[in-house]
């Protein structure tokens, strides 16, 4: 199964995405620099609200103009999914549909993790420790990290893992590890893989999934982007998922929840 296959199944399935209306569309840009760090994270998100849930997808700078919001509220999810809208908008629509049909907080498969109140670095470390906890990382386990988040690098290494980072926008982690731009290279060299949901927004998710299937490597995904989309691939190549629906942890200092999923794969 691919993302295209999943989209086709949603369009042909029940309930129909034509019955789900987008009530709000958001274009969101924020930056983060944790204390003591010399890296500023620059994040852009498209968010589509459907009922009580939000479909979310991150995107690169310049990929989507804020003016899209004016024409997106009021459309149906089917309209977006069958349009030539940019890929991040279509991923957000697919995410909104799957989350509306089964919100994370009602899923019997999900393990709710409540992140503590606190400063951004406290909450980021708690979140990334929860993600790292999805993998059985023995001493010396080589873990490909697709999408570098420095606290997650630390969480992997603190468990005895050897982190193999890959990112399009960084050259070095905060701890000094060189960052590859070649996803296939680090996946092939790894024993296990941890990847960001942003692989959905840049079109590399299917490639990553296929590679991990072919090599029978565990694939854990941490997802603000398309968290309900990734959930549909549990047991189909994805072995574990940390799903963080909007509003994301970085937008509050109060306790908030993420939802972990595991398979026996």
């Amino acid at each position: 199964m691919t993302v295209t296959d999943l989209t086709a199944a949603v369009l042909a399935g029940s309930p129909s995405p034509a019955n789900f209306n987008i009530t709000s569309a958001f274009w969101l840009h924020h930056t983060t620099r944790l204390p003591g760090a010399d890296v500023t994270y620059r994040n852009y998100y498209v968010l589509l609200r459907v009922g009580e849930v939000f479909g979310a997808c991150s995107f690169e700078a310049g990929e989507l103009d804020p003016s899209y919001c004016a024409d997106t509220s009021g459309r149906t999810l089917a309209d977006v999914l069958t349009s030539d809208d940019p890929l991040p908008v279509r991923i957000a629509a697919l995410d909104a549909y799957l989350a509306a049909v089964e919100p994370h907080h009602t899923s019997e498969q999900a393990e709710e993790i409540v992140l503590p109140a606190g400063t951004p670095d406290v909450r980021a470390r708690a979140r990334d420790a929860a993600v790292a906890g999805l993998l059985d990382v023995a001493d010396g386990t080589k873990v490909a990290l697709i999408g570098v988040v420095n606290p997650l690098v630390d969480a992997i290494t603190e468990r005895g893992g050897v982190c193999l980072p890959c990112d399009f926008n960084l050259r070095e982690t905060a701890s000094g590890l060189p960052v590859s731009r070649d996803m296939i290279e680090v996946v092939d060299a790894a024993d296990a893989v941890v990847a960001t949901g942003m692989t959905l927004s840049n079109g590399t998710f299917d490639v990553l999934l296929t590679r991990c299937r072919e090599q029978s490597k565990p694939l854990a995904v941490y997802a603000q982007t398309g968290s309900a989309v990734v959930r549909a691939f549990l047991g189909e190549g994805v072995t574990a998922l940390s799903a963080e629906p909007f509003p994301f942890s970085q937008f509050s200092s109060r306790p908030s929840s993420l939802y972990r999923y595991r398979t026996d794969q």
Side-chain angles (χ1 to χ4, degrees):
M1 181 171 70
T2 66
V3 174
T4 299
D5 295 333
L6 177 61
T7 302
V10 163
L11 288 167
S14 179
S16 170
N19 296 329
F20 291 81
N21 288 87
I22 298 165
T23 55
S24 300
F26 301 75
W27 186 100
L28 195 157
H29 174 213
H30 85 288
T31 63
T32 300
R33 181 180 290 198
L34 296 176
D38 58 2
V39 174
T40 298
Y41 295 103
R42 304 176 186 276
N43 301 110
Y44 300 82
Y45 295 96
V46 49
L47 299 157
L48 303 178
R49 183 166 189 171
V50 175
E52 67 171 314
V53 303
F54 296 82
C57 187
S58 57
F59 59 92
E60 296 292 342
E63 193 173 1
L64 183 66
D65 189 89
S67 62
Y68 100 95
C69 295
D71 300 319
T72 302
S73 294
R75 296 170 67 188
T76 69
L77 292 179
D79 180 39
V80 175
L81 290 172
T82 56
S83 72
D84 59 357
D85 285 23
L87 178 60
V89 179
R90 289 180 279 121
I91 291 294
L94 185 59
D95 189 45
Y97 173 84
L98 295 167
V101 170
E102 184 182 15
H104 291 295
H105 64 268
T106 67
S107 173
E108 294 182 359
Q109 293 178 277
E111 172 197 11
E112 183 178 12
I113 302 292
V114 178
L115 303 178
T119 60
D121 55 327
V122 166
R123 285 171 57 75
R125 291 189 180 279
R127 179 194 63 207
D128 295 331
V131 175
L134 289 170
L135 284 176
D136 294 324
V137 181
D139 283 347
T141 299
K142 291 179 287 186
V143 181
L145 177 60
I146 313 302
V148 172
V149 180
N150 282 309
L152 187 49
V153 174
D154 295 341
I156 291 169
T157 56
E158 286 165 4
R159 285 163 170 76
V162 177
C163 186
L164 306 177
C166 176
D167 198 287
F168 291 146
N169 298 315
L170 294 176
R171 295 292 178 268
E172 187 177 271
T173 69
S175 57
L177 294 176
V179 177
S180 173
R181 293 178 62 86
D182 189 333
M183 181 180 73
I184 298 302
E185 176 185 63
V186 297
V187 169
D188 288 353
D191 302 307
V193 181
V194 180
T196 172
M198 282 189 69
T199 51
L200 286 165
S201 62
N202 64 25
T204 62
F205 179 78
D206 287 335
V207 175
L208 174 64
L209 195 67
T210 298
R211 203 75 173 185
C212 289
R213 285 171 179 158
E214 290 173 348
Q215 300 180 17
S216 299
K217 290 182 178 177
L219 170 60
V221 180
Y222 63 98
Q224 294 179 337
T225 288
S227 60
V229 177
V230 177
R231 182 179 61 187
F233 290 88
L234 285 166
E236 297 285 339
V238 174
T239 53
L241 166 65
S242 172
E244 189 178 351
F246 186 81
F248 306 136
S249 58
Q250 63 264 41
F251 298 136
S252 174
S253 62
R254 304 306 305 152
S256 60
S257 295
L258 59 78
Y259 300 88
R260 297 198 306 192
Y261 298 81
R262 292 180 173 86
T263 71
D264 296 328
Q265 184 178 337

